[in-house]
Amino acid sequence: MHLRYSYRLYPTAGQRQALARTFGCARVVYNDALAARKQARKDGLPYPRSADLQKLVITGAKRTAERAWLASVGVDPLIQSLRDLDTAYRNFFDSVSGKRAGRQVGLPRFKSKRDNRQSLRFTRNGFRIRGNGKLNLAKIGDVRVKWSRALPADPSSVTVVLDPSGRYHASFVVDVEPQHLAPLDTEVGIDLGLTTYAVLSDGTVIDNPRFLRKAEKKLKAAQRALSRKARGSKNRAKARRKVAKAHAKVADTRMDWAQKQTTRIIRETQAVYLEDLNVRGLARTRLAKSVHDAGWSTFRRLLEEKAARYGRHVGIIGRYEPTSQVCSTCGVLDGPKPLSVRTWTCGACGTCHDRDLNAARNILAAGRADRLNACGGPVRPGVAIPRRAHPVETGTHRNADRTGRKPRAAGAAGIPVL
Ligand SMILES: [Zn+2]
């Protein structure tokens, strides 16, 4: 299975310049290829093949006066940039034809110099890890790496990323064998909430860290400072960097926290069941800020990735299960409860329920039932399907609000009846 390992890079001033030039060239190649495809479509010509595009926007372009500078950077990241465009188109076509699940992917868009995040990918021919621990990138040089943990195997590619706060990272794709842990007989249902981050069916409560809310004050001050700076000024650029840094700090802390929580859950349990909350649906309601803060989709993704790696099972139960309305003791549907109701007593059997714990128990029961159905027999230790490492550039996610489509009705968007 493919995993990503990310490390901080410390390029010298000269290397930063070389990287900036390569970011620019890769962007131009991408945009030229996209323009050529759009033009071909307009002219009613067949969709240009990748090999022909490569000749047109890289090999051929280098010989022209306007694009001669393409020769000053390594060719590998330029070719990878074209591959990214291919992937973006494939994702778009698969999304249109329904082959690709999940939210709709839009047509690839032109990249801009002002994009927040710049990236380059090097394949095996384009990079090498030196004996002294430096990362050699073709036509960039030997870049200092902070090896925060060991790489488990030879990487097949590396993506160099410049984030908006000005940090460089190298993200290696490594092919590793799954390391299945000794099977356990523990299973747990998880109810993700807003008052507490999550409640597990065994009674464990994971408190909401609310990193964003806490850091918000600092962020707001930075944003106010940014808004006062004159457009295009150096001070504005500095202030923008400060805002980006404040954001990055929150994101890093949150990710670190999520990694620790999910590792613990995967180590201690054989099967984890979650509700498919359709975070996108919820995020459009007034709960938006809390939902984004909670980072539920990251939490789920980490659980799924770790389950695949360590031989555990993650089951997602249908989004219409009324998990907060059913009594987990006797199974009676007790009717909807407003969010403010934290505890309730079942009208049929008289059990007093904590709202979230009851939901977690129902999720566990529903997940078990799903799994039994799927296996057609006794529950075996789960073997999840390993996911491919996320490609860094995969085209444009269409934002439903931007396309002018009406937000879907509450039920259809999968907002659970609370
Ligand atoms: Zn009951």
Side-chain angles (χ1 to χ4, degrees), residues 71-91:
S72 69
V73 303
V75 73
D76 190 37
L78 303 185
I79 295 171
Q80 297 316 310
S81 187
L82 287 185
R83 296 262 156 82
D84 289 340
L85 180 66
D86 282 340
T87 311
Y89 264 108
R90 201 175 330 114
N91 289 345

Side-chain angles (χ1 to χ4, degrees), residues 327-332 346-351 353:
C327 167
S328 60
T329 311
C330 69
V332 158
C346 171
C349 72
T351 314
H353 289 296

Side-chain angles (χ1 to χ4, degrees), residues 138 142 292 382:
D142 289 355
H292 286 308

Side-chain angles (χ1 to χ4, degrees), residues 94-270:
D94 286 355
S95 185
V96 168
S97 67
K99 228 161 80 183
R100 183 188 159 94
R103 62 172 163 167
Q104 240 188 327
V105 175
L107 265 170
R109 275 198 296 236
F110 288 107
K111 286 181 195 280
S112 157
K113 203 185 338 197
R114 275 177 280 281
D115 282 347
N116 263 334
R117 195 171 160 284
Q118 308 271 347
S119 70
L120 290 174
R121 194 167 65 241
F122 297 82
T123 54
R124 274 213 177 94
N125 308 321
F127 78 97
R128 225 175 341 153
I129 297 165
R130 298 259 189 224
N132 62 7
K134 289 197 170 175
L135 172 66
N136 177 265
L137 300 169
K139 292 223 184 181
I140 307 279
D142 289 355
V143 185
R144 195 158 72 81
V145 187
K146 170 97 176 145
W147 295 105
S148 42
R149 54 178 172 163
L151 262 180
D154 254 358
S156 55
S157 76
V158 63
T159 304
V160 176
V161 181
L162 169 63
D163 74 13
S165 60
R167 297 178 304 180
Y168 291 84
H169 285 93
S171 173
F172 294 95
V173 172
V174 187
D175 195 7
V176 294
E177 289 296 316
Q179 319 169 308
H180 287 189
L181 299 170
L184 302 168
D185 51 9
T186 44
E187 289 184 296
V188 76
I190 302 182
D191 178 57
L192 295 169
L194 294 174
T195 39
T196 51
Y197 187 89
V199 173
L200 276 53
S201 55
D202 61 7
T204 313
V205 175
I206 302 176
D207 269 323
N208 210 330
R210 295 211 166 99
F211 299 121
L212 199 64
R213 292 285 168 93
K214 275 186 199 161
E216 211 164 49
K217 247 172 115 181
K218 207 169 166 187
L219 202 67
K220 265 194 183 145
Q223 259 153 357
R224 261 199 309 274
L226 171 64
S227 69
R228 282 195 301 265
K229 303 289 184 282
R231 263 177 192 284
S233 70
K234 279 213 164 137
N235 278 333
R236 189 182 173 87
K238 264 192 249 167
R240 194 183 305 120
R241 183 79 72 83
K242 257 194 186 153
V243 170
K245 274 189 176 160
H247 271 299
K249 174 93 185 140
V250 175
D252 292 352
T253 321
R254 178 198 286 158
M255 186 49 116
D256 180 61
W257 181 85
Q259 292 279 9
K260 282 175 184 153
Q261 298 297 332
T262 48
T263 297
R264 194 179 49 77
I265 292 170
I266 290 296
R267 284 207 176 279
E268 291 170 4
T269 37
Q270 184 62 42

